[in-house]
Amino acid sequence: MKLRLMSSDLADDNLASMPLDYFAFGLHLRSELELPEISTVTAVCDAPVVDIRLGTTGEIPAARYVDTACQISADDCLLNVDGVARYRVRNGEEIIVEPFSASFERRVRLFLLGTVFGTLCHQRGLLPLHASAIEVDGRAIAFAGVSGAGKSTLAAHFHDRGYPVLCDDLCAIHFDRSAQPMVSQGIPRLKLWRDAAKMLGWQFHSGEIDVDGQEKYQFPTGRASAGTTLALHRIYVLEDVRLSAQQRICRLKGVDATDALLLHTYRRGLLAPMGRTAINFMQSTSIAKRACVYSFSRCLGFDNFAAEAEKLEGHFLKAGNARPGRYG
Amino acid sequence: MNSQSSLAAATFVSRCDGILHAEIDQEIVALSIAKGTCYGLNAVGSRVWRLLAHPIQVSTLCEILTSEYAVEPSVCECQVLELLEDLLAEGMIKTCESIRERGADDLIGAEK
């Protein structure tokens, strides 16, 4: 597991090697970086190609938004993660990675598979939701929420209960010809905090540490079929019970559902400088029309976790809660 | 609510530019791009929003609603003015001083 080519070696053609093929989010990723997190995903025919290359990112001329962390234009985005790498995402078709050092591959991939893929989704007109999703009865159920709300922990719990995990943290939603929101297999791994992994009884090793200083661990969720694309049936928005006046689980409709989807769009700060506010709104209303959105208030921490997860499972399994009537 | 109300029966009003909307379950959900705020309108509010596609006089708006809903004209005008004041305060609609502010296209395309 090595970065195959460092930017300083670019002039040396002899080091250039054949890219590797990976599949995730319905895309064919042709990558010069090894991506072990996705290597278990099987191929999809005719998936659009995205090239991931090692190289020099350069600067974006006349970017609409510029600060030390990013330069953003409509179809061109440069992200600078201090001490890790610079990433340039262009036209939804190409990602150039310029690592600062060869020794932090894991961290280089961490941001690549997160924020950078989120940016790629925005450019490709997908709606990246800050959510983890599982498969229930041939359809996708997503858990959306801010960091620490329990998305991954719930997905991990349901993984233990036998539900396949579709994606973690970043849920890329696209729309089929009838405007039905769909979810494709994302990265087949879960990222869990140490406490969550302990509570679930998942074995972890110190070598699995994910972010320096943050005790987060990665767990592969097994072989996944990238060809699997499922209708997004429900979204549960995870809320802190102390901040919510709502019942434990309550249906959000119309403006409330739309608002929740806007709020939990992944890296939504990118939308305005990319000029994608309007598209994001239309996509959010489209999801609100065709999927059921619920708010699910839970206690942070794990004291009530088992009971809460059981309640949630009972809710999404209950036939009476099935599809939204009119669009069913 | 607003003592210095700028709206009267004779005022022309219309939607502002830069407001997106979509219909969910026949109700309008609108977004102000500038503010990034999302608004939901109920059934009657949604009907009013559709009528605001082109500049329309408040009195005309009320006549249409009175013909469509079982409501006293005076009650209707009062409630419509209240809704319009809210929309105005949120920057969702604007007033047009006179019919001259209406473009030719608006005149042709105006909803009856």
Side-chain angles (χ1 to χ4, degrees):
Chain A
M1 186 165 64
K2 251 185 179 173
L3 297 178
R4 298 170 140 230
L5 184 62
M6 294 307 305
S7 52
S8 54
D9 299 328
L10 277 178
D12 190 347
D13 284 340
N14 295 331
L15 285 180
S17 50
M18 289 294 290
L20 301 162
D21 296 303
Y22 299 101
F23 296 85
F25 303 119
L27 301 171
H28 176 179
L29 307 165
R30 220 159 43 188
S31 178
E32 290 179 4
L33 263 88
E34 280 192 49
L35 303 172
E37 291 86 349
I38 323 182
S39 60
T40 54
V41 179
T42 54
V44 200
C45 292
D46 303 325
V49 173
V50 172
D51 284 305
I52 302 174
R53 298 193 288 108
L54 287 157
T56 310
T57 54
E59 307 282 329
I60 297 181
R64 274 197 219 169
Y65 176 87
V66 177
D67 67 20
T68 53
C70 55
Q71 298 174 19
I72 306 167
S73 282
D75 295 306
D76 199 349
C77 195
L78 178 67
L79 302 158
N80 177 38
V81 184
D82 261 349
V84 179
R86 284 157 67 91
Y87 306 87
R88 181 128 179 213
V89 190
R90 277 200 290 225
N91 303 317
E93 292 173 346
E94 179 189 37
I95 298 171
I96 303 167
V97 184
E98 184 177 1
F100 279 93
S101 149
S103 54
F104 298 119
E105 299 122 34
R106 188 183 283 278
R107 300 201 65 194
V108 170
R109 290 201 308 275
L110 178 70
F111 291 96
L112 175 69
L113 302 178
T115 301
V116 176
F117 272 23
T119 308
L120 181 77
C121 287
H122 283 303
Q123 286 184 357
R124 293 195 66 87
L126 305 172
L127 189 147
L129 200 63
H130 198 189
S132 300
I134 59 169
E135 176 182 344
V136 179
D137 225 359
R139 294 184 291 194
I141 306 275
F143 310 114
V146 297
S147 294
K151 302 180 289 292
S152 302
T153 311
L154 281 167
H157 168 83
F158 291 123
H159 178 265
D160 279 345
R161 304 264 309 147
Y163 298 95
V165 173
L166 283 168
C167 55
D168 182 39
D169 205 45
L170 171 58
C171 179
I173 298 167
H174 68 276
F175 298 87
D176 73 5
R177 255 170 272 167
S178 63
Q180 168 66 43
M182 308 291 292
V183 177
S184 299
Q185 176 70 50
I187 298 155
R189 58 104 166 85
L190 285 161
K191 292 193 294 177
L192 295 172
W193 300 98
R194 182 194 195 90
D195 290 351
K198 262 184 159 168
M199 188 259 314
L200 294 162
W202 288 28
Q203 297 297 317
F204 55 89
H205 312 283
S206 54
E208 288 297 309
I209 198 154
D210 193 87
V211 186
D212 293 8
Q214 295 184 50
E215 293 202 82
K216 216 167 183 183
Y217 298 83
Q218 290 205 28
F219 299 90
T221 50
R223 194 158 187 84
S225 169
T228 314
T229 295
L230 304 176
L232 175 59
H233 179 42
R234 288 170 182 213
I235 299 163
Y236 291 92
V237 180
L238 310 180
E239 316 260 14
D240 181 345
V241 73
R242 291 168 303 178
L243 305 175
S244 172
Q246 310 281 18
Q247 296 284 320
R248 273 294 155 100
I249 297 178
C250 87
R251 178 80 193 267
L252 302 178
K253 289 188 149 190
V255 65
D256 297 322
T258 305
D259 227 10
L261 294 165
L262 295 178
L263 187 66
H264 294 291
T265 296
Y266 192 79
R267 303 294 180 262
R268 66 193 176 108
L270 295 169
L271 291 167
M274 288 176 94
R276 302 196 67 87
T277 308
I279 289 166
N280 183 241
F281 171 75
M282 297 316 286
Q283 289 180 332
S284 298
T285 57
S286 203
I287 294 171
K289 276 183 209 176
R290 290 172 181 84
C292 302
V293 183
Y294 299 89
S295 105
F296 174 47
S297 305
R298 58 175 301 257
C299 305
L300 294 187
F302 308 117
D303 294 347
N304 289 320
F305 185 83
E308 286 173 338
E310 193 183 338
K311 177 162 180 136
L312 187 57
E313 186 175 8
H315 192 268
F316 65 62
L317 287 179
K318 207 164 104 191
N321 290 330
R323 290 154 182 266
R326 181 158 359 158
Y327 300 98
Chain B
M1 45 183 291
N2 186 349
S3 55
Q4 293 179 308
S5 173
S6 52
L7 296 174
T11 317
F12 280 87
V13 284
S14 78
R15 292 181 205 161
C16 283
D17 298 331
I19 307 292
L20 293 168
H21 72 265
E23 247 182 82
I24 303 177
D25 297 339
Q26 290 167 358
E27 293 185 359
I28 297 284
V29 176
L31 177 85
S32 157
I33 293 188
K35 288 187 177 181
T37 316
C38 212
Y39 305 90
L41 294 166
N42 64 15
V44 181
S46 298
R47 176 66 181 136
V48 171
W49 184 256
R50 287 183 201 102
L51 292 167
L52 288 167
H54 304 280
I56 185 169
Q57 215 164 4
V58 173
S59 54
T60 314
L61 199 54
C62 293
E63 279 165 33
I64 294 169
L65 293 173
T66 319
S67 73
E68 293 177 352
Y69 298 89
V71 60
E72 286 296 313
S74 59
V75 175
C76 180
E77 185 178 299
C78 184
Q79 291 183 351
V80 164
L81 280 172
E82 197 176 320
L83 171 66
L84 293 176
E85 290 288 356
D86 284 350
L87 293 173
L88 197 60
E90 291 294 337
M92 310 273 285
I93 61 166
K94 59 189 177 190
T95 56
C96 318
E97 284 299 314
S98 76
I99 200 159
R100 277 198 298 274
E101 285 193 19
R102 301 166 62 174
D105 289 346
D106 286 346
L107 283 170
I108 294 161
E111 288 187 55
K112 284 277 163 76

